């Protein structure tokens, strides 16, 4: 339940073994390089041509990635299970070394692949262009004359174009009215347009142009070549078929290349490791013959790494805890196996800052219980446990989420048992002789009950009991949060804040709780004689208020480092009163927010009950009723489980972030990103 | 004149009708946004479907309350005006709450499609935003149930 302690490690070594050292660091993967330059005028950062190397390396990686993407469609698809497992391929160490030795040949194949792909793109563009031109030339196919001759007449002009089919006749009639010394013939008709060729004497040119522009006639100009339209059409068709043939050849060649895909993937990982290694050089300070590297390393690994480095040759390395905190170490969480899955919840919010409290261990039991109360159905919990167990063990899916859901499934079984809900059936309401009625012994309350029933000594309706339970659990979590804040302040030696603020508030909270329990309107508790604690509770409340309202401003004024004046003290008292009022309002809001546990729990129960009732009604249909009932039960409960699972996760997490964390959590931690070998496609044995 | 039954059935109709309107509009917004995304990237269909389906729960909650009112009418021997009116009022939290929260949840889901398009790894955060709007439909459902429980 902690944030791992880090030490600064400084490595100074001779330039000749720079590659070896960086390679070693990548292998062990537990040093994060500080990505900034030291303020030292003797050191030079970024040796000449380093950026060029980095760029070249990145380009190589990019080329290999492109090749993988191009070749992937040619390899038969993996079965669905393997795809969702996303396991990297295992490669033996010796095979990997052979592939790396052979890499020049593989680079050639990659180049070939990329070139073929480029060519294929070009051919596809050509095919597209040819198809378009073919489409455009179809109307003029019947014209036997060379196309460039159409504009070469001395006395006559031609106009080729098209007009919407519905206007064609009107156009032709209108056209003939202008002049007789003209010819207008339909060359081609399709569903929308009529294509025409108009020939007219140049002296009528103006009127005819005017007429054409007034009408819906759209002028088209086919390409001016010596060939006729029909020949052009044939040429385009030939182009298309030869391009298609070329493309098929390219596809065949790519398919042959795809046999090398797994080697190409191995080379990708190799080149990525090299890229990361070269990039790490960016933050090495250099002199003429020496380089210097600064980083962060977990304290427990420091000795081993120092020892290994000393054996490498001319190296000077030391690990230490830096005095001033000009740059903060990264944050790595370390928790027990049962708590580790809950790191997902912490990470979703943001890592705590280095040196502060890791909230994961503290939020775990609350998250576990609250999730169970929200998704309050024991049978759904069992389903969740089974499903996640199968995912982890059989399907071998990786990820914290599955383990977290497994644990929360156990919480759900507890939550469901407490509310007596199993697949939407309320076991408290079953008749005595029913086989499942024994499950009622676990039930503390009935979430939709309207008759007062005993609940921890109080006679309450089920809904009220659930409400009080949620509020009470929320109150406990807020008291715990205040206690954590108290602990943190004491640990950071801020005693006044710790005792007079957090300690005082804790006392006030306990006082309020005791006062509430001793109230006469709690008939059950009153009958047990709890009213006796009323007077002590008032004293406790008073002590807390005195500490917070009177002592805290006074002590702050005495121990603060500026000159104390009466005005300052009065100001502190006023501020203190305002803050106490503010915090009381916050307390009320925060505690009442926990009633969402009751709302979500009730919702799951009600939806489950209604599904069961619906299914029961449907069963009455003759013959097919049973089938519909089964479908409705399966579908309905699955829907209920999924929707309320999402809601339970989101709301339980929200309660932690908004009601629990603000009391003690300090954020702003940067995640630990060590220099390491990050293989994407393969795993070396 | 005893209008109890009429009020009750009006309540049942409003519960499912209003909540259904909310869900339809909400899913409509989200569906329109996701069609734009799927036109460019059809392989994000699964995740887009989750975001589009999220505003659908309001309609289900409305139907639930409708069904519960219908069930209760089978069990009440004496229906009076006041009982009918209370059942009508019981339908309103889920109906009106579902109407507005469905519309706004649809808008949030539609915006979440943006997140899915640009940063598919952060898709879960978009789903979380959408679920937060649904809280109020859920509280409406619970309020309706609490009132419904007290009738008869």
């Amino acid at each position: 339940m902690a944030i791992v302690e880090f030490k600064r490690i400084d490595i100074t070594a001779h330039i000749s073994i720079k590659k070896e050292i960086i390679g070693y660091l990548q292998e062990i993967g537990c040093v994060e390089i500080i990505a900034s330059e030291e303020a030292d005028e003797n050191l030079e950062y970024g040796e000449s041509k380093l950026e060029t190397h980095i760029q070249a390396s990145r380009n190589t990686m990019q080329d290999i990635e492109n090749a993988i993407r191009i070749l992937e469609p040619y390899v038969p698809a993996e079965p669905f299970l393997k795809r969702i497992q996303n396991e990297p391929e295992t490669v033996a160490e010796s095979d990997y070394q052979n592939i790396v030795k052979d890499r020049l040949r593989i680079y050639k194949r990659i180049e070939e692949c990329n070139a073929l792909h480029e060519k294929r793109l070009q051919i596809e563009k050509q095919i597209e262009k040819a198809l378009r031109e073919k489409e455009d030339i179809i109307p003029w196919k019947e014209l036997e004359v060379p196309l460039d001759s159409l504009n070469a007449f001395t006395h006559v002009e031609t106009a080729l174009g098209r007009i919407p089919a519905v206007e064609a006749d009107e156009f032709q009639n209108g056209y003939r009215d202008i002049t007789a010394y003209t010819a207008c013939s339909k060359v081609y008709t399709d569903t929308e347009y009529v294509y025409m060729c108009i020939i007219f004497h140049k002296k009528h040119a103006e009127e005819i142009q005017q007429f054409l522009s007034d009408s819906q006639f759209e002028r088209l100009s086919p390409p001016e070549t010596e060939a006729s339209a029909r020949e052009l059409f044939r040429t385009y068709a030939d182009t298309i078929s030869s391009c298609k043939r070329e493309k098929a050849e390219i596809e065949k060649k790519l398919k042959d290349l795809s046999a090398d895909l797994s080697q190409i993937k191995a080379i990708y990982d190799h080149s990525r490791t090299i890229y990361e290694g070269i990039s790490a050089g960016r933050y090495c300070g250099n002199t003429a013959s020496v380089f210097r590297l600064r980083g962060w390393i977990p304290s427990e690994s420091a000795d081993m790494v120092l020892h290994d480095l000393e054996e490498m040759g001319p190296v000077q390395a030391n690990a230490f805890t830096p005095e001033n905190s000009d740059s903060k170490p990264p944050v790595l969480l370390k928790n027990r196996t049962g708590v580790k899955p809950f790191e997902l919840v912490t990470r979703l919010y943001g890592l705590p800052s280095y040196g502060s409290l890791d909230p994961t261990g503290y939020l775990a039991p609350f998250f576990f219980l609250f999730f169970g109360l929200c998704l309050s159905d024991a049978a759904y919990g069992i389903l969740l446990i089974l499903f996640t167990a199968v995912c982890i063990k059989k399907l071998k899916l990786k990820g914290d989420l599955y383990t977290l859901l497994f644990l929360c499934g156990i919480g759900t079984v507890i939550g469901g048992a407490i509310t007596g809900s199993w697949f939407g059936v309320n076991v408290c309401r079953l008749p005595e002789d029913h086989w499942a009625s024994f499950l009622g012994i676990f039930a503390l309350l009935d979430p939709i009950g309207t008759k007062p029933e005993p609940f921890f000594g109080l006679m309450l309706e089920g809904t009220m009991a659930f409400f009080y339970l949620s509020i009470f659990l929320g109150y406990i979590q807020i008291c715990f949060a205040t206690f954590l804040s108290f602990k943190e302040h004491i640990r950071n030696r801020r005693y006044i804040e710790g005792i007079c603020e957090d300690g005082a508030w804790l006392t006030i909270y306990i006082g309020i709780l005791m006062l509430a329990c001793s109230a006469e309107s709690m008939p059950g508790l009153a009958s047990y004689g709890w009213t006796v604690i009323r007077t002590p509770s008032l004293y406790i409340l008073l002590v807390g208020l005195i500490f917070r309202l009177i002592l805290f401003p006074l002590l702050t004024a005495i121990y603060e480092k500026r000159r104390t004046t009466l005005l300052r003290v009065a100001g502190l008292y006023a501020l203190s009163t305002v803050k106490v009022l503010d915090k009381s309002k916050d307390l009320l809001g925060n505690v009442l927010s926990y009633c969402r546990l009751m709302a979500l729990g009730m919702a799951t129960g009600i939806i489950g009950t209604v599904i069961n009732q619906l299914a029961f009604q449907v069963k009455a249909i003759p013959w097919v009723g049973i089938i519909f009932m089964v479908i409705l039960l399966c579908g309905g409960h699955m829907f209920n489980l999924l929707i309320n699972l999402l809601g339970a996760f989101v709301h339980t997490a929200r309660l932690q972030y908004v009601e629990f964390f603000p009391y003690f959590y300090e954020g702003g931690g940067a995640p630990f990103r060590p220099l390491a070998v990050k293989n994407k496609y393969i795993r070396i044995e | 004149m005893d209008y109890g039954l009429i009020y009750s059935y009006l309540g049942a109709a409003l519960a499912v009708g209003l909540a259904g309107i909310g869900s339809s509009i909400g899913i409509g917004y989200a569906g329109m946004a996701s069609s734009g995304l799927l036109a460019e990237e059809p392989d994000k269909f699964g995740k887009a479907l989750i975001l589009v389906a999220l505003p659908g729960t309001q309609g289900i909650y409305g139907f639930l309350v409708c069904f519960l009112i219908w069930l209760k009418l089978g069990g009440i021997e004496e229906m009076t005006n006041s009982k009918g009116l209370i059942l009508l009022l019981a339908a309103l939290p889920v109906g009106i709450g579902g109407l507005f929260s469905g519309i706004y949840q649809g808008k949030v889901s539609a915006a979440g499609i943006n997140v899915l398009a640009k940063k598919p790894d952060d898709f879960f955060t978009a789903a979380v935003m959408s679920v937060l709007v649904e809280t109020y439909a859920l509280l409406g459902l619970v309020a309706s149930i609490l009132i419904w429980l007290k009738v008869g």
Side-chain angles (χ1 to χ4, degrees):
Chain A
M1 212 155 58
I3 298 177
V4 171
E5 196 196 319
F6 278 89
K7 279 200 172 126
R8 253 278 293 279
I9 183 168
D10 284 356
I11 303 172
T12 315
H14 195 266
I15 277 194
S16 59
I17 52 168
K18 182 172 175 178
K19 250 191 179 160
E20 211 181 308
I21 289 186
I22 290 187
Y24 167 72
L25 291 178
Q26 278 184 302
E27 242 181 79
I28 54 167
C30 61
V31 174
E32 176 179 321
I33 298 196
I34 294 180
S36 68
E37 299 172 7
E38 243 180 314
D40 188 331
E41 51 193 32
N42 295 319
L43 292 174
E44 239 179 67
Y45 279 83
E47 51 185 5
S48 57
K49 297 194 216 152
L50 180 65
E51 287 299 319
T52 328
H53 281 315
I54 294 178
Q55 189 62 37
S57 184
R58 196 182 309 144
N59 290 342
T60 316
M61 252 176 62
Q62 195 69 41
D63 287 339
I64 305 177
E65 208 170 4
N66 288 343
I68 293 175
R69 221 166 350 143
I70 295 167
L71 292 177
E72 227 141 33
Y74 294 96
V75 174
E78 293 175 325
F80 177 72
L81 194 63
K82 280 224 136 54
R83 256 185 295 150
I84 53 174
Q85 278 177 339
N86 221 8
E87 281 275 310
E89 211 184 300
T90 319
V91 173
E93 170 81 37
S94 52
D95 288 339
Y96 180 68
Q97 293 301 338
N98 288 338
I99 296 174
V100 169
K101 278 199 203 114
D102 203 19
R103 65 184 183 278
L104 287 176
R105 179 187 73 89
I106 298 180
Y107 285 156
K108 278 213 187 71
R109 309 277 273 180
I110 290 169
E111 246 182 79
E112 216 183 300
C113 170
N114 286 336
L116 284 172
H117 179 69
E118 278 301 314
K119 188 126 185 278
R120 178 171 61 177
L121 284 178
Q122 271 178 5
I123 291 180
E124 278 171 5
K125 278 209 188 92
Q126 273 182 318
I127 294 180
E128 231 177 289
K129 183 160 169 259
L131 276 171
R132 257 200 327 263
E133 286 172 344
K134 199 170 104 164
E135 279 285 314
D136 288 340
I137 206 84
I138 283 181
W140 315 119
K141 239 177 32 175
E142 302 307 318
L143 291 179
E144 299 273 352
V145 294
L147 288 167
D148 58 354
S149 66
L150 287 176
N151 289 325
F153 300 123
T154 342
H155 301 289
V156 155
E157 257 181 52
T158 58
L160 295 174
R162 70 181 184 186
I163 188 150
V166 291
E167 315 271 330
D169 292 326
E170 198 186 308
F171 175 81
Q172 273 196 306
N173 294 336
Y175 185 80
R176 272 192 216 108
D177 290 340
I178 298 184
T179 165
Y181 296 105
T182 176
C184 162
S185 52
K186 289 188 194 172
V187 180
Y188 182 75
T189 319
D190 70 19
T191 46
E192 270 186 70
Y193 294 100
V194 172
Y195 293 79
M196 302 190 156
C197 175
I198 300 172
I199 305 178
F200 51 90
H201 198 279
K202 280 194 176 164
K203 63 180 184 187
H204 297 292
E206 235 182 83
E207 306 161 359
I208 291 179
Q209 300 284 25
Q210 183 67 33
F211 174 76
L212 290 180
S213 53
D214 286 341
S215 69
Q216 298 251 11
F217 189 79
E218 193 188 326
R219 262 192 117 127
L220 299 169
S221 19
E224 292 201 0
T225 57
E226 276 183 11
S228 74
R230 183 168 294 182
E231 282 163 22
L232 265 186
F233 182 82
R234 233 175 275 138
T235 323
Y236 293 144
D238 288 339
T239 317
I240 290 173
S241 50
S242 76
C243 283
K244 281 192 174 157
R245 262 198 315 270
E246 250 189 275
K247 187 172 159 185
E249 265 178 44
I250 292 180
E251 303 262 328
K252 188 163 164 301
K253 282 196 195 139
L254 283 175
K255 186 136 198 333
D256 290 337
L257 282 174
S258 72
D260 282 332
L261 187 60
S262 48
Q263 291 184 330
I264 295 178
K265 284 180 174 172
I267 285 291
Y268 174 82
D269 280 331
H270 169 77
S271 82
R272 184 173 178 174
T273 310
I274 293 183
Y275 168 70
E276 302 260 330
I278 298 179
S279 301
R282 225 188 233 143
Y283 299 107
C284 294
N286 304 303
T287 63
S289 51
V290 155
F291 81 96
R292 164 125 138 188
L293 196 58
R294 301 176 304 146
W296 294 108
I297 185 169
S299 300
E300 51 194 21
S301 317
D303 292 328
M304 174 199 84
V305 170
L306 288 177
H307 174 78
D308 285 342
L309 282 174
E310 301 284 314
E311 289 189 351
M312 276 189 171
V315 181
Q316 167 77 28
N318 63 327
F320 58 96
T321 313
E323 293 280 311
N324 55 347
S325 49
D326 52 353
S327 72
K328 283 205 141 187
V331 172
L332 181 64
L333 299 178
K334 183 169 159 185
N335 285 297
R336 296 196 301 269
T337 340
V339 170
K340 197 162 188 319
F342 294 92
E343 281 175 19
L344 190 106
V345 179
T346 311
R347 250 184 251 120
L348 209 56
Y349 185 72
L351 288 171
S353 72
Y354 186 81
S356 72
L357 200 60
D358 174 14
T360 315
Y362 302 115
L363 72 80
F366 290 106
F367 193 93
F368 174 81
L369 185 60
F370 294 168
F371 188 97
L373 282 177
C374 288
L375 189 61
S376 60
D377 193 298
Y380 290 172
I382 294 175
L383 279 180
L384 200 53
I385 292 175
L386 289 173
F387 175 69
T388 45
V390 163
C391 281
I392 299 173
K393 285 284 148 111
K394 282 234 121 164
L395 302 182
K396 299 218 172 38
L397 295 174
K398 296 264 153 59
D400 268 345
L401 180 63
Y402 297 105
T403 328
L404 179 62
L405 285 178
F406 178 83
L407 291 173
C408 290
I410 301 175
T412 312
V413 174
I414 296 174
I418 291 178
T419 55
S421 178
W422 299 72
F423 270 130
V425 174
N426 195 326
V427 289
C428 306
R429 295 180 181 206
L430 289 173
E432 283 291 320
D433 51 355
H434 196 276
W435 66 271
S437 57
F438 75 96
L439 296 165
I441 54 168
F442 301 115
L444 287 176
L445 54 91
D446 174 7
I448 52 173
T450 43
K451 289 198 296 286
E453 269 163 33
F455 177 71
F456 289 119
L458 298 165
M459 285 301 278
L460 289 171
E461 291 174 13
T463 46
M464 289 311 288
F466 205 173
F467 178 74
Y468 285 140
L469 180 66
S470 316
I471 299 295
F472 176 70
L473 288 173
Y475 199 82
I476 298 287
Q477 188 171 31
I478 289 177
C479 289
F480 186 63
T482 315
F483 173 70
L484 285 178
S485 174
F486 167 77
K487 227 175 69 157
E488 273 296 277
H489 279 141
I490 301 291
R491 189 174 69 99
N492 292 333
R493 302 219 196 116
R494 299 168 64 153
Y495 298 112
I496 301 177
E497 261 132 56
I499 299 175
C500 293
E501 196 176 350
D502 295 315
W505 273 114
L506 205 47
T507 321
I508 294 173
Y509 294 157
I510 295 174
I512 292 177
L513 187 61
M514 287 167 69
L515 197 61
C517 288
S518 69
E520 261 130 29
S521 54
M522 298 278 191
L525 292 178
S527 71
Y528 288 144
W530 278 49
T531 34
V532 134
I533 61 172
R534 167 171 292 191
T535 331
S537 75
L538 285 172
Y539 281 129
I540 292 176
L541 201 56
L542 196 62
V543 164
L545 283 171
I546 288 175
F547 264 78
R548 180 66 185 84
L549 281 173
I550 298 176
L551 273 180
F552 178 56
L554 195 63
L555 290 173
T556 317
I558 292 173
Y559 285 99
E560 67 180 357
K561 293 189 171 69
R562 40 199 275 198
R563 242 186 78 226
T564 312
T565 62
L566 207 59
L567 194 62
R568 169 89 180 133
V569 175
L572 281 172
Y573 272 104
L575 185 65
S576 178
T577 319
V578 167
K579 278 199 169 165
V580 163
L581 289 171
D582 194 46
K583 195 132 189 189
S584 315
K585 174 202 70 162
D586 277 346
L587 174 73
L588 192 63
N590 288 343
V591 167
L592 283 176
S593 187
Y594 283 85
C595 74
R596 73 186 64 229
L597 297 176
M598 166 204 138
L600 285 160
M602 273 182 73
T604 318
I606 275 278
I607 298 176
T609 311
V610 169
I611 291 171
N612 290 340
Q613 297 220 340
L614 262 174
F616 187 70
Q617 304 257 345
V618 159
K619 185 170 148 193
I621 301 175
W623 305 114
V624 289
I626 306 273
I627 304 175
F628 284 147
M629 181 189 87
V630 170
I631 296 175
L632 193 58
L633 280 177
C634 291
H637 282 298
M638 193 52 49
F639 163 79
N640 193 14
L641 171 59
L642 288 173
I643 280 290
N644 283 297
L645 180 69
L646 193 57
F649 188 88
V650 170
H651 286 285
T652 313
R654 179 221 172 280
L655 282 173
Q656 308 308 310
Y657 300 153
V658 180
E659 270 83 35
F660 187 51
F661 280 5
Y663 285 87
F664 63 90
Y665 175 87
E666 224 182 275
F672 178 51
R673 292 217 170 88
L675 182 67
V677 172
K678 291 182 207 133
N679 285 339
K680 184 171 162 185
Y681 293 110
I682 62 168
R683 190 184 38 218
I684 307 175
E685 295 270 281
Chain B
M1 174 96 204
D2 204 354
Y3 293 108
L5 266 180
I6 297 179
Y7 292 137
S8 314
Y9 282 121
L10 179 60
L14 282 178
V16 69
L18 292 176
I21 294 176
S23 267
S24 323
I25 297 179
I27 293 188
Y29 281 137
M32 284 188 271
S34 76
S35 297
L37 171 66
L38 294 177
E40 301 277 330
E41 295 178 79
D43 44 317
K44 287 187 177 159
F45 175 68
K47 290 181 173 165
L49 187 63
I50 295 177
L51 276 177
V52 170
L54 277 175
T57 42
Q58 278 81 353
I60 309 269
Y61 293 163
F63 172 71
L64 270 175
V65 172
C66 166
F67 186 73
L68 284 173
I69 294 177
W70 181 83
L71 267 185
K72 184 147 260 184
L73 289 174
I76 294 185
E77 291 112 25
E78 263 187 62
M79 175 56 79
T80 60
N81 263 345
S82 65
K83 281 190 194 165
L85 267 177
I86 294 176
L87 280 177
L88 169 60
L89 291 173
L92 293 183
V94 75
I96 301 178
L99 171 65
F100 287 104
S101 75
I103 295 176
Y104 286 102
Q105 189 173 9
K107 291 188 180 180
V108 173
S109 280
I113 298 281
N114 243 335
V115 174
L116 180 59
K118 295 182 189 172
K119 292 229 157 116
D121 291 333
D122 286 331
F123 152 78
F124 183 67
T125 53
V128 166
M129 297 300 175
S130 189
V131 169
L132 284 175
V133 184
E134 197 180 305
T135 313
Y136 301 95
L138 194 85
L139 292 178
L141 171 71
V142 173
S144 289
I145 291 169
L146 286 173
I147 301 175
W148 172 86
L149 280 173
K150 291 291 184 180
V151 176

